[in-house]
Amino acid sequence: MLDQEINVVGIGTDVFTDAIKEQGVKAHQLDWKPSKKTEISKRAEEILKKALYSNFKEKIDTANAKIIDIMKNTDPCWIGMKPAIECVPDMQEGIILHSGPDIEWDRMCQTQKEGGINGCLFEGYAKDRDEAEKLLKSGKVLFKSANDYHIVGPGSGIATPSMVVNIVEDRNTGVRGFCAPFEGPNRGGLAGWGIFNESIREHLNMVRDIIAPAITKILTSNGGLSMMKIFTRGVEMGDELHSRQDATGLIATNELMKMIFDADYVDDDAKRKCVDLLYGTVRFFHPLGMASAMSLLEAVRNVDYSTVVTAMEGNGVDYGIKVAGLNTNWYTAPSPKIVGEYVSANVDDDDVMPWIGDSCMLEATGLGGFAAAASPAVMRALEKTLSDGIEQTLEMSNITISENAHYLIPALNYQGSPTGIDILKVLDTGIEPVIHGGMISKTGKRLGAGVAYVPIKCFENAILAYGDKYGL
């Protein structure tokens, strides 16, 4: 070996690398340091050790293997668009949904309160804002977590019974996920930003009455639109599917255009409105990615003994996770701040809301921040490099239980993105899951894009509940 040229990579103190360089040997010092492990309670530490180092671990591994098998065989398909009350399980009149975990009205952020009030006005539950607020505060109109109804709610995450949602069905399991479509150039409107006016009402009614029936007919006639092949190509073309969907959007639009123009059973006016929505909505594909993530995570929601995360999202006050082996319970901590680049120079850090929205369900399936190495453009927008993205993806592999063979990352020699966040690994390493997303102001405006980290306290609370449930 010593007869050949030696190349050295140093990962410890740089004094060793410097000494090697002084001897004329090529050496590169890696800018690396051990993760700073966050302290957790003694009880949580005891449960963690039992889960990792006793015979009980066999039950965990068997349960987690079931989940990975489902994740590797997921086959999401966009099958239609319908009003929520017609397709979402348990959706009823008098229910309005919001992003993140359940939260009491008095603790709710103003952006989400506005969304609830405007949802009441859109549905006609109240004649004015004061009446709407009274209905929501009293519980006569229920304001509930969208995740508990299988809906992903980006931003404030508002969904009402008559609002249209995209329907994505996993053809492997039959489980469905839902997400409201973005509202044209507004990119959020009532669903995302909780904003409502007569123009938004007209648009939502037009989507319900014209676009949704037309798209559903077209998708039904063509057997739906397979999502996975689009995801796979998109990741190879620079999308991480959370902050960037440029490639996937173009691929989907290309396929949809032929379907639309071949649909002689849809009138020309409806076709034109469908095309206008596709081209007028820069990120129309994003809700389809989120609904696909929900269809997968719903399929693994209740697997006894599993330690895999099945939901992670925030409401601007609390951030919560769910765990497969703990049914549908939330484990929360204060919602983290998102840090990134502003689209305007006149922004104060205090204007930025703590994380609000459900879009980081994508990270729970191996996309977004976990696939950062696939998207140099996202890294550049965050004033980071491709090397930073590679490092970020590799770090996330320390807290997951597998790689996703569908999301192959060119910069990692087509290694799959890290998938299946394990609460045990998060607590054992102290590495908090990274999430990509948009920064939202306290007045509901989009300020830019950035990153945040899921609080370790969520995982500590989850492991305590896990210990109680399974007698650890």
Side-chain angles (χ1 to χ4, degrees):
M1 180 183 73
L2 296 179
D3 290 336
Q4 302 173 13
E5 182 180 5
I6 297 175
N7 294 291
V8 176
V9 175
I11 61 172
T13 178
D14 55 11
V15 65
F16 297 111
T17 304
D18 293 341
I20 292 170
K21 287 179 178 178
E22 289 173 2
Q23 299 176 62
V25 177
K26 292 181 180 178
H28 174 75
Q29 176 66 27
L30 193 66
D31 184 14
W32 175 87
K33 58 184 177 182
S35 298
K36 182 180 179 182
K37 188 169 180 179
T38 305
E39 292 293 325
I40 59 175
S41 70
K42 184 177 180 180
R43 173 64 180 143
E45 197 74 59
E46 288 174 354
I47 297 168
L48 179 63
K49 287 179 180 178
K50 289 178 182 178
L52 287 173
Y53 304 116
S54 72
N55 292 338
F56 191 85
K57 184 70 162 54
E58 295 178 11
K59 294 182 178 181
I60 294 173
D61 290 343
T62 300
N64 288 348
K66 291 179 183 178
I67 285 184
I68 288 304
D69 181 65
I70 294 172
M71 285 185 164
K72 288 183 175 179
N73 290 288
T74 185
D75 186 15
C77 182
W78 185 24
I79 62 172
M81 304 172 72
K82 290 184 178 180
I85 199 166
E86 295 180 16
C87 59
V88 175
D90 300 321
M91 188 65 165
Q92 302 173 17
E93 288 292 347
I95 294 177
I96 294 175
L97 305 179
H98 63 76
S99 59
D102 270 327
I103 183 171
E104 304 86 359
W105 177 266
D106 290 340
R107 294 184 60 242
M108 195 172 286
C109 71
Q110 189 59 37
T111 297
Q112 212 155 62
K113 287 181 178 180
E114 288 291 320
I117 290 169
N118 287 328
C120 282
L121 295 176
F122 173 66
E123 290 292 341
Y125 297 152
K127 63 180 181 297
D128 57 36
R129 292 175 53 83
D130 289 342
E131 183 182 359
E133 184 169 350
K134 289 176 182 177
L135 290 171
L136 291 162
K137 289 183 73 171
S138 68
K140 291 181 180 178
V141 171
L142 298 177
F143 205 11
K144 306 291 287 182
S145 169
N147 182 273
D148 292 333
Y149 289 78
H150 311 182
I151 295 181
V152 183
S156 57
I158 303 303
T160 71
S162 64
M163 285 174 63
V164 165
V165 292
N166 291 299
I167 309 167
V168 173
E169 181 175 282
D170 190 325
R171 290 186 288 199
N172 183 45
T173 63
V175 176
R176 292 181 175 183
F178 309 89
C179 185
F182 282 172
E183 298 167 32
N186 293 323
R187 295 191 296 175
L190 178 57
W193 304 146
I195 299 169
F196 182 65
N197 53 43
E198 284 308 306
S199 175
I200 289 174
R201 182 194 294 278
E202 290 174 9
H203 178 80
L204 290 174
N205 289 343
M206 184 270 293
V207 171
R208 181 193 63 209
D209 298 336
I210 299 175
I211 291 179
I215 289 291
T216 300
K217 285 181 183 178
I218 291 166
L219 291 172
T220 301
S221 297
N222 288 274
L225 181 63
S226 176
M227 295 284 100
M228 190 51 69
K229 64 180 182 181
I230 298 175
F231 294 163
T232 300
R233 290 177 63 193
V235 170
E236 286 189 294
M237 296 167 68
D239 286 355
E240 39 76 273
L241 272 295
H242 191 159
S243 291
R244 186 181 193 270
Q245 306 85 25
D246 293 25
T248 45
L250 289 171
I251 295 166
T253 299
N254 186 53
E255 295 203 22
L256 282 167
M257 284 304 114
K258 179 169 174 51
M259 292 184 188
I260 290 171
F261 286 114
D262 285 349
D264 53 12
Y265 43 84
V266 175
D267 66 56
D268 288 345
D269 179 63
K271 288 182 180 181
R272 167 55 62 187
K273 285 182 168 59
C274 290
V275 172
D276 288 345
L277 181 70
L278 293 176
Y279 278 95
T281 309
V282 177
R283 301 177 68 198
F284 93 92
F285 193 83
H286 191 20
L288 297 176
M290 291 185 279
S292 298
M294 178 61 85
S295 72
L296 169 57
L297 295 171
E298 279 295 315
V300 297
R301 175 167 278 190
N302 296 298
V303 178
D304 280 346
Y305 302 108
S306 174
T307 55
V308 173
V309 172
T310 59
M312 42 194 241
E313 48 198 55
N315 56 33
V317 177
D318 298 328
Y319 194 96
I321 67 169
K322 294 181 179 180
V323 180
L326 295 173
N327 306 111
T328 58
N329 298 311
W330 288 106
Y331 302 97
T332 65
S335 203
K337 268 289 186 76
I338 184 167
V339 178
E341 295 302 308
Y342 300 127
V343 294
S344 172
N346 301 318
V347 178
D348 188 285
D349 287 345
D350 291 337
D351 292 337
V352 182
M353 287 186 62
W355 184 280
I356 182 170
D358 298 349
S359 55
C360 33
M361 294 287 280
L362 287 159
E363 272 79 2
T365 66
L367 292 166
F370 282 60
S375 192
V378 170
M379 291 294 101
R380 183 172 178 268
L382 296 172
E383 292 198 338
K384 295 185 178 183
T385 65
L386 175 57
S387 295
D388 293 327
I390 291 171
E391 182 179 340
Q392 182 172 304
T393 294
L394 292 176
E395 183 178 42
M396 293 302 104
S397 68
N398 293 314
I399 59 173
T400 54
I401 59 176
S402 187
E403 296 174 3
N404 195 314
H406 297 291
Y407 311 142
L408 302 177
I409 301 175
L412 293 177
N413 293 321
Y414 288 86
Q415 174 182 318
S417 68
T419 303
I421 300 169
D422 185 354
I423 64 170
L424 302 182
K425 291 189 174 186
V426 172
L427 292 167
D428 191 42
T429 63
I431 297 172
E432 296 175 320
V434 64
I435 48 180
H436 287 177
M439 293 184 288
I440 299 175
S441 75
K442 293 174 181 176
T443 57
K445 296 179 180 178
R446 185 173 183 272
L447 300 177
V451 297
Y453 293 87
V454 182
I456 200 82
K457 191 68 176 178
C458 295
F459 300 90
E460 180 180 359
N461 290 335
I463 197 71
L464 291 170
Y466 189 93
D468 290 343
K469 178 175 180 178
Y470 295 107
L472 293 180

